[in-house]
Amino acid sequence: MRRSMWFRTFASECRNTIVQNWLAQLSDAYPGMTSPGRMRTHGLIMFGLICDIYKPLSHCERYSMLPGLCEYHADRGTPVECLLRSCLIWRRSFGAALEKWALGSGERNISKEEMWTALTIFHERIDELQSTMGRLYWNCVQEQLRRKDKAINRLYSDRMDMLGKMAASMAHELRNPLFAIEGFLKLIRSSLPPDELGKVERYIEVMESEFKGLYSQITGILSFSRNNALEEPFQSCRAEELLAGVCKLVSDRLKYGEVQLLVEGSLGFSLIVQRLALQQLVANLVYNSIEAFPAGSSGTDKIIRLSGGEDARHYYISVADNGPGIPAGLIASMFEPFVSGKPNGTGLGLSICKQIAEKNRCRLTYSASEGQTIFTLTFEKSEQAELENEADRSIG
């Protein structure tokens, strides 16, 4: 009882001195951190928690105020360093006041043993308080980050929804006149005599090839805006068949661009994917490679390698080209919508590719250097097995 009474007496008599000393040192170290009135309130809460050293911290009367105090400082962005420094200042303020109080009158008659015991418990209380505040402060910061992430995602989703609607409207406006122009091209082809057709057929083929490229871009815009990949069912497809389908899709563009496409690697594995969506993804990567080759380069210099493979944990499909690589200024944002290094590009190609990859539970990564760019789709075998089990259950 005596050990408790004398320490409480000390705390009661020296409270104002200790709190004022703490406030002065903290204000000097962090001027303008918060209002003096608010800091004094916080100081009194802390003082009460520190002084009741013979009671468990969680049982103290003011313990319930501690989360609110930490939340206030987290909301204000108070540095963690300040909270740690605050506890150090409490040690100094209490120590200086206790020494002066204990030696101030011989009537106190407090033994060195009692003083040492009290100081040991006091420092343990400060340590516990510092640890608790650190944990509560960190929890508040984590919650703040979660709220901010949620708000950012909501704003991003709203922005993408608006951009998607604009893109869809533009795509529809473009597609209608293109249909008419393509129809007239077909009519010209069918109406010309063979000898006249022979003179212009090459030009018609170029225009038809460009139309296919435009339709592919428009389809990509509509896919981006409607998120069609959600609608296509998953099915088992052999890698060899998937890439064969890609080769058919890109054959005209390869021929027109005089680009060699080499299919390599081990393609004997199967994937549970959205077949058409995945073929669109790989075709987009091939189109990007074709368009990346500098104008005027010869066909023998333009090579795209479409390959597959696997290891113990993954399946891989990659598209590699020997073009000039990715401009340094685009690397950080290359998968963001409407970001393009092409003068007339929509900036949706790689964004759509990433979107499709995520729907098909695979990672789209790249490596680039001067003279080579490789995009790789990585499928986890464990996730493929899970998708296969889901497909079997749905059939059953």
Side-chain angles (χ1 to χ4, degrees), residues 296-339:
S297 55
S298 66
T300 56
D301 295 332
K302 298 187 286 188
I303 299 173
I304 299 174
R305 300 180 186 277
L306 191 55
S307 59
E310 63 178 293
D311 58 26
R313 296 176 54 194
H314 308 95
Y315 297 115
Y316 303 97
I317 291 176
S318 63
V319 177
D321 66 63
N322 62 340
I326 301 170
L330 290 179
I331 289 177
S333 56
M334 59 189 298
F335 288 112
E336 293 181 10
F338 305 105
V339 174

Side-chain angles (χ1 to χ4, degrees), residues 237-306:
C237 306
R238 289 183 60 80
E240 186 176 10
E241 295 172 354
L242 280 169
L243 298 191
V246 171
C247 291
K248 290 181 181 178
L249 286 173
V250 302
S251 59
D252 288 340
R253 297 286 294 277
L254 291 168
K255 181 180 178 182
Y256 176 64
E258 298 181 334
V259 178
Q260 297 183 66
L261 178 65
L262 306 178
V263 180
E264 303 173 334
S266 173
L267 301 172
F269 58 90
S270 295
L271 297 169
I272 306 295
V273 293
Q274 296 169 310
R275 181 191 185 103
L276 297 179
L278 197 68
Q279 285 181 337
Q280 179 191 347
L281 186 166
V282 180
N284 280 350
L285 296 177
V286 174
Y287 292 146
N288 279 351
S289 293
I290 294 173
E291 293 168 3
F293 288 115
S297 55
S298 66
T300 56
D301 295 332
K302 298 187 286 188
I303 299 173
I304 299 174
R305 300 180 186 277
L306 191 55

Side-chain angles (χ1 to χ4, degrees), residues 50-239:
I50 293 169
C51 286
D52 215 350
I53 60 174
Y54 298 109
K55 183 186 291 185
L57 179 62
S58 59
H59 294 174
C60 292
E61 181 181 352
R62 292 178 174 83
Y63 181 77
S64 60
M65 301 179 184
L66 201 54
L69 187 151
C70 292
E71 184 176 1
Y72 170 81
H73 286 289
D75 288 340
R76 285 184 58 84
T78 302
V80 175
E81 173 196 356
C82 178
L83 299 181
L84 299 177
R85 182 75 172 271
S86 169
C87 291
L88 174 62
I89 295 173
W90 279 119
R91 294 181 197 271
R92 292 174 177 173
S93 299
F94 264 88
L98 181 57
E99 182 180 6
K100 186 176 181 179
W101 181 84
L103 299 176
S105 171
E107 297 177 0
R108 308 252 188 240
N109 195 25
I110 302 170
S111 68
K112 290 183 179 179
E113 182 181 353
E114 288 176 313
M115 183 72 72
W116 179 257
T117 300
L119 285 174
T120 300
I121 299 173
F122 164 76
H123 285 297
E124 289 175 351
R125 170 55 57 89
I126 291 286
D127 289 342
E128 183 183 5
L129 190 58
Q130 182 173 292
S131 175
T132 301
M133 288 180 63
R135 173 174 53 80
L136 292 173
Y137 182 88
W138 177 246
N139 289 343
C140 291
V141 170
Q142 290 289 90
E143 180 58 31
Q144 283 182 351
L145 292 174
R146 281 192 289 269
R147 289 199 301 265
K148 288 179 180 179
D149 284 344
K150 188 175 180 180
I152 290 170
N153 289 335
R154 183 170 61 250
L155 289 172
Y156 180 78
S157 178
D158 291 344
R159 176 173 175 263
M160 296 311 300
D161 182 58
M162 179 187 69
L163 291 173
K165 290 177 180 177
M166 292 172 58
S169 176
M170 184 181 299
H172 283 296
E173 291 297 325
L174 288 172
R175 189 154 64 170
N176 291 334
L178 284 176
F179 275 135
I181 296 171
E182 185 183 33
F184 280 113
L185 274 177
K186 291 180 179 178
L187 183 62
I188 291 172
R189 178 187 284 277
S190 62
S191 301
L192 287 175
D195 56 336
E196 293 295 326
L197 178 61
K199 297 176 182 179
V200 297
E201 187 168 19
R202 173 60 178 166
Y203 305 117
I204 294 176
E205 287 177 353
V206 170
M207 286 187 284
E208 288 175 339
S209 177
E210 287 301 308
F211 268 110
K212 287 184 180 179
L214 285 172
Y215 285 146
S216 175
Q217 292 287 344
I218 291 172
T219 300
I221 293 173
L222 292 173
S223 174
F224 173 79
S225 63
R226 289 198 306 255
N227 205 7
N228 284 339
L230 284 172
E231 302 170 7
E232 185 185 351
F234 284 79
Q235 57 181 301
S236 177
C237 306
R238 289 183 60 80

Side-chain angles (χ1 to χ4, degrees), residues 327-353:
L330 290 179
I331 289 177
S333 56
M334 59 189 298
F335 288 112
E336 293 181 10
F338 305 105
V339 174
S340 176
K342 306 168 191 173
N344 299 313
T346 63
L348 287 176
L350 289 177
S351 177
I352 292 169
C353 289

Side-chain angles (χ1 to χ4, degrees), residues 1-15 47 51-55 98 101 118:
M1 178 63 69
R2 170 180 164 78
R3 66 178 186 175
S4 175
M5 289 302 297
W6 78 259
F7 192 87
R8 288 176 179 173
T9 300
F10 150 72
S12 177
E13 292 180 5
C14 297
R15 184 183 74 164
F47 182 85
C51 286
D52 215 350
I53 60 174
Y54 298 109
K55 183 186 291 185
L98 181 57
W101 181 84

